[in-house]
Amino acid sequence: MKISILSSRGTRRRRTSAAVALGAVLALAATACGDDGSGSGGDKGAEGSGKGKIVFWDNNGGIRTAVWKEIIADFEKANPDIDVEYVGIAATEYQSKVDTAIQGGGLPDVGGVGAAMLAGFSAQKALEPLDDRLTGSSLSGQLNKDMVESLKAAGGGDGTLYSVPTSANNGVLYYRTDLFEKAGLEAPTTWDRFYTAAEKLTDADENEFGYTIRGGSGSIAQALDAMYGQSGITSFWDAGKKKTTLNDPRNVEALEKYAALYKKATPAADVNNDFAKMVAQWDSGTIGMLNHNLGSYQDHVKALGADKFRGIPQPVGAAGKRVQVSNPVDGLGMFKSSKNKEAAWKFIEFATSKEQNSKFNESAGQVPSNTEAAKDAWIQQAEPTKLAAEALNDGSTTIVQLPYYLPDWNTISKADNEPNFQKVLLGKMSAKAFLDTVAEQLNEAQAEWTEQMG
């Protein structure tokens, strides 16, 4: 396995080159298209009549098509003077399609805009600010505050809301109730119980392990969740927002303990496992615990049966508090180029109302953003969703907001450093060296972003 570390100088060159390239593309698009009403990023759009046709792009087409068509049918029945054209786009293709439309025209009125996409779209001035519309709407005070704050934080760092939250695909600790009962173990509701269970449920000679750790694609997000959850640190930046808390000694200690599980209480194959391999391994084997999100719940039910496992919120720390990194929040954004913003807002408002938001999330198996929808009966029947909703709504969970607004966040937290996390698992790099490397890159990215914001 070949592993390399990108120097901060190389990081700076990459950022500068990327910024120049993006600026050139946008300048070319502006020159070619101008403000000609073609639906490009520079088009300011109009309020419109509140009637007629609007176009909606679904950012998870195919998977969510059926439920969105139901919501649209209900909306058109309640608003007979508005027609909604549905366009389903695969999640893997959505961001590139929107970026192309921002540059060349053809943006919809409304589209799915989750936290991970917000910074890129808002940096290109493609999204309409929604704070005032939300304040004056029937949704005011009805949406989960943490989800709203997550999307505000992801939108560029200036606190503007560019997307109204629809759902959260919360992190879950799944554990095998049958194996815990057989071993006489308590549910892993605290980190101490988690580590005790990981050790006690492991018998490598029998191919039995207490935990499966994510070492492949997506590994760092899961590691950060475990790290901040144990340390109890509640902010990603220091008070001056100049240095990240990532390499705080408490986080270093937490990561050392977490990474030490590899091969002692986990399968050796975990070093290369992404979520799909990790989930499949848990469903087919005799592994005690798995960290994933609500999206895999039905897979576990099919593989194991609902009576052999539970899905609970992340463990609480020594102080009895639960801390987790910002959960994946999805939402609906209005594109600035819309010529019928009044009708577009009506659709967003309708789709996130109690009844429709409940319908969407029951289909998706996720936590509703509408706090009244989060009380509906179906949630009581899906325990992981019920517990996740309670944890997000009852004030027991503190969310550490990740800096999605940084242009380099995805590169730093994935391509640049996932190989280095594998080195930590393999004992070829210390947890401190790993966190210092990531922190240096993030501090530099934060300084450059702060300078650009003026």
Side-chain angles (χ1 to χ4, degrees), residues 222-305:
Q222 182 173 303
L224 294 186
D225 224 5
M227 197 170 75
Y228 279 93
Q230 293 174 80
S231 72
I233 296 171
T234 57
S235 175
F236 195 79
W237 300 103
D238 63 11
K241 292 200 171 184
K242 293 182 179 180
K243 291 186 177 180
T244 178
T245 59
L246 197 71
N247 57 340
D248 181 286
R250 291 168 291 174
N251 276 336
V252 173
E253 182 182 359
L255 186 60
E256 286 172 344
K257 190 172 184 179
Y258 180 71
L261 290 172
Y262 175 65
K263 287 184 73 174
K264 292 180 181 177
T266 79
D270 281 359
V271 70
N272 293 312
N273 280 356
D274 59 11
F275 86 90
K277 292 177 183 176
M278 184 179 64
V279 167
Q281 179 177 256
W282 194 71
D283 285 346
S284 64
T286 52
I287 299 174
M289 296 177 290
L290 160 77
N291 272 116
H292 195 233
N293 56 46
L294 292 165
S296 60
Y297 174 67
Q298 291 300 332
D299 292 331
H300 308 323
V301 172
K302 291 175 184 176
L304 302 170

Side-chain angles (χ1 to χ4, degrees), residues 391-438:
L392 290 176
N393 287 304
D394 65 9
S396 66
T397 301
T398 300
I399 304 294
V400 177
Q401 301 293 348
L402 297 178
Y404 291 122
Y405 59 86
L406 292 177
D408 271 352
W409 166 250
N410 282 334
T411 302
I412 291 172
S413 64
K414 285 184 168 292
D416 282 2
N417 289 295
E418 283 182 348
N420 287 339
F421 182 68
Q422 290 179 316
K423 289 187 72 174
V424 175
L425 295 181
L426 294 168
K428 297 180 179 179
M429 186 177 195
S430 70
K432 184 178 186 304
F434 167 73
L435 291 175
D436 284 345
T437 298
V438 182

Side-chain angles (χ1 to χ4, degrees), residues 309-393:
F309 77 97
R310 289 184 70 201
I312 61 175
Q314 290 285 58
V316 299
K321 299 289 186 181
R322 180 181 298 106
V323 178
Q324 66 180 64
V325 298
S326 43
N327 45 333
V329 178
D330 206 357
L332 294 173
M334 182 192 304
F335 288 95
K336 191 176 290 186
S337 59
S338 171
K339 298 297 188 294
N340 202 348
K341 293 178 183 177
E342 185 178 338
W345 176 252
K346 286 181 182 178
F347 178 68
I348 292 174
E349 193 174 30
F350 183 86
T352 44
S353 64
K354 175 184 180 297
E355 180 182 353
Q356 302 302 324
N357 190 238
S358 181
K359 178 185 295 184
F360 175 81
N361 283 287
E362 182 176 10
S363 172
Q366 297 177 357
V367 180
S369 61
N370 189 297
T371 54
E372 291 301 309
K375 300 174 184 177
D376 280 357
W378 67 267
I379 291 182
Q380 309 306 312
Q381 299 166 11
E383 188 189 35
T385 305
K386 172 190 173 185
L387 296 177
E390 289 175 353
L392 290 176
N393 287 304

Side-chain angles (χ1 to χ4, degrees), residues 118-148:
L118 265 172
F121 296 167
S122 64
Q124 297 178 71
K125 310 297 182 186
L127 296 170
E128 180 80 2
L130 299 175
D131 299 86
D132 291 343
R133 294 179 194 270
L134 179 59
T135 300
S137 83
S138 59
L139 293 174
S140 182
Q142 298 298 308
L143 299 178
N144 181 281
K145 292 180 181 179
D146 283 329
M147 294 190 203
V148 172

